[in-house]
């Protein structure tokens, strides 16, 4: 008989589906639930036992993993399922939500006699499929140790960041850096074009100089220099602009609540929020370069 814990995975969309499938491939028994029929069908193909309700999915498992769009959905789901789970179940929330919501979710789980960690991810859909996600985990040392083997299956890097909610804090800070740096790289390419530089020349210089960063060398926002970047696939996401809008909104809330100056995070949030609300949310977030280029037309 296998000594591996049994798992329920709730939220089987573009991220959760591949993550759950990787657990099945590693030999875990995974029960899944998602309200979307297409997600249910894919999960069944991936070897999950698909249930009709979230309550049914969690009724007799050791670990419950959630991957949902926002904090309200996480808290509402916890209100629905905590009483149905057996005592001392480990709840692992991999959604990207507000720090306060993450702490509230953990408090709910603890009050119901369970264990809990927040474990948001970085790496996008490609990382979810490849099992190369980075997990930023908040919770006790003991609960982190219990979650670690499962997270290792789904990711290439697992970091214990601190207590409840601190995993979400790390995710928010990381994605604020990412959003700001992508805007900076994109502005540089548009400026370079206006100054007569080819995109390849700027890439060759900056990728080997002090301007080097992940947004440039791993995710170059213009076609050509990096064949694997979304720019070479009509900006099909990787990481959608709508998700960057959401994450920078969370960062903005945290910046304001904690009195952090001087505003680059807030400005990046404004830029991506406008980009998203103008109908570009389904594009990769690196497509912001085209928005900057369009807004710069006719100027010297």
């Amino acid at each position: 008989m296998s000594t591996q814990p049994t798992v329920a995975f709730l939220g089987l969309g573009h991220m959760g589906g591949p993550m759950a499938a990787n657990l099945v491939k590693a030999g875990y028994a995974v029960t899944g639930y998602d309200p979307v029929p297409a997600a249910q069908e894919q999960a069944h193909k991936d070897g999950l036992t698909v249930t009709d309700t979230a309550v049914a999915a969690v009724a007799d498992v050791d670990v419950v993993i959630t991957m949902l769009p926002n904090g309200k959905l996480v808290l509402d789901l916890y209100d629905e399922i905590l009483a149905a789970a057996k005592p001392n179940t480990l709840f692992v929330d991999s959604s990207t939500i507000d720090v306060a919501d993450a702490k509230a979710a953990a408090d709910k789980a603890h009050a119901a006699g369970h264990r809990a960690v927040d474990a948001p991810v970085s790496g996008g859909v490609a990382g979810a499929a490849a099992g190369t996600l980075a997990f930023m985990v908040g919770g006790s040392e003991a609960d982190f140790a219990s979650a670690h083997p499962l997270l290792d299956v789904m990711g290439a890097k697992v970091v214990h960041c601190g207590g409840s909610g601190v995993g979400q804090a790390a995710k928010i800070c990381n994605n604020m850096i990412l959003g700001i740096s992508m805007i900076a790289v994109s502005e540089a390419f548009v400026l370079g074009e206006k100054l007569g530089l080819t995109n390849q020349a700027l890439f060759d210089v900056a990728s080997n100089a002090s301007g080097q960063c992940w947004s440039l060398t791993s995710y170059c926002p213009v076609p050509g220099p990096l064949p694997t970047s979304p720019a070479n696939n009509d900006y099909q996401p990787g990481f959608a602009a709508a998700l960057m809008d959401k994450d920078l909104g969370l960062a903005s809330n945290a910046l304001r609540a904690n009195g952090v100056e001087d505003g680059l995070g807030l400005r990046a949030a404004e830029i991506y929020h406008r980009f998203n609300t103008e109908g570009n949310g389904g594009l990769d977030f690196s497509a912001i370069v085209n928005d900057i280029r369009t807004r710069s037309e006719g100027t010297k």
Side-chain angles (χ1 to χ4, degrees), residues 218-259:
S218 295
Y219 220 75
C220 182
V222 295
L226 192 67
T228 56
S229 74
N232 292 284
N233 190 30
D234 296 323
Y235 295 95
Q236 295 302 303
F239 185 62
L243 295 177
M244 180 56 79
D245 178 23
K246 170 197 167 185
D247 289 0
L248 289 174
L250 295 174
S252 293
N253 293 340
L255 288 166
R256 294 188 181 98
N258 292 278

Side-chain angles (χ1 to χ4, degrees), residues 96-112:
T96 297
I97 62 177
D98 188 82
V99 173
D101 287 340
K103 290 180 178 179
D107 287 345
K108 285 176 179 285
H110 293 149

Side-chain angles (χ1 to χ4, degrees), residues 33 42 82 193 204 212 231 243 282:
Y33 171 74
Q42 184 60 50
L82 288 174
E193 291 165 5
D204 290 344
Q212 189 278 330
L243 295 177

Side-chain angles (χ1 to χ4, degrees), residues 47-113:
L48 279 74
T49 299
V50 181
T51 61
D52 292 333
T53 67
V55 168
V58 307
D60 192 29
V61 298
D62 302 308
V63 181
V64 176
I65 303 174
T66 46
M67 176 60 90
L68 302 176
N70 60 62
K72 183 180 186 305
L73 288 174
V74 173
L75 293 172
D76 288 348
L77 182 63
Y78 273 30
D79 286 339
E80 179 184 351
I81 65 176
L82 288 174
K86 64 185 183 182
N88 206 38
T89 296
L90 175 62
F91 281 78
V92 179
D93 182 40
S94 287
S95 317
T96 297
I97 62 177
D98 188 82
V99 173
D101 287 340
K103 290 180 178 179
D107 287 345
K108 285 176 179 285
H110 293 149

Side-chain angles (χ1 to χ4, degrees), residues 189 198-209 216-218 220 222 225-226:
F189 274 111
T198 65
N199 289 335
Q200 186 66 54
L202 178 56
F203 179 86
D204 290 344
V205 170
S207 64
N208 292 284
L216 175 67
T217 56
S218 295
C220 182
V222 295
L226 192 67

Side-chain angles (χ1 to χ4, degrees), residues 9-21:
F9 207 114
L10 310 180
L12 301 169
H14 295 303
M15 292 292 295
M19 291 166 67

Side-chain angles (χ1 to χ4, degrees), residues 14-185:
H14 295 303
M15 292 292 295
M19 291 166 67
N22 283 331
L23 290 174
V24 173
K25 291 175 185 175
Y28 286 91
V30 183
T31 302
Y33 171 74
D34 192 289
V36 178
Q40 296 172 14
E41 181 179 352
Q42 184 60 50
H44 180 74
K45 292 178 180 177
D46 289 335
L48 279 74
T49 299
V50 181
T51 61
D52 292 333
T53 67
V55 168
V58 307
D60 192 29
V61 298
D62 302 308
V63 181
V64 176
I65 303 174
T66 46
M67 176 60 90
L68 302 176
N70 60 62
K72 183 180 186 305
L73 288 174
V74 173
L75 293 172
D76 288 348
L77 182 63
Y78 273 30
D79 286 339
E80 179 184 351
I81 65 176
L82 288 174
K86 64 185 183 182
N88 206 38
T89 296
L90 175 62
F91 281 78
V92 179
D93 182 40
S94 287
S95 317
T96 297
I97 62 177
D98 188 82
V99 173
D101 287 340
K103 290 180 178 179
D107 287 345
K108 285 176 179 285
H110 293 149
H114 302 303
R115 298 169 292 151
V117 297
D118 50 288
V121 304
S122 179
V125 175
T132 57
L133 295 169
F135 284 90
M136 297 143 271
V137 188
S140 71
E141 290 280 359
D143 293 346
F144 170 72
S146 295
H148 200 299
L150 289 153
L151 303 181
D152 262 342
V153 170
M154 300 181 287
K157 183 71 173 178
V158 181
V159 179
H160 186 208
C161 299
S164 294
V166 181
Q168 294 293 349
K171 173 65 183 288
I172 289 170
C173 291
N174 178 78
N175 280 22
M176 184 177 72
I177 294 170
L178 177 61
I180 292 170
S181 65
M182 182 56 75
I183 291 170
V185 169

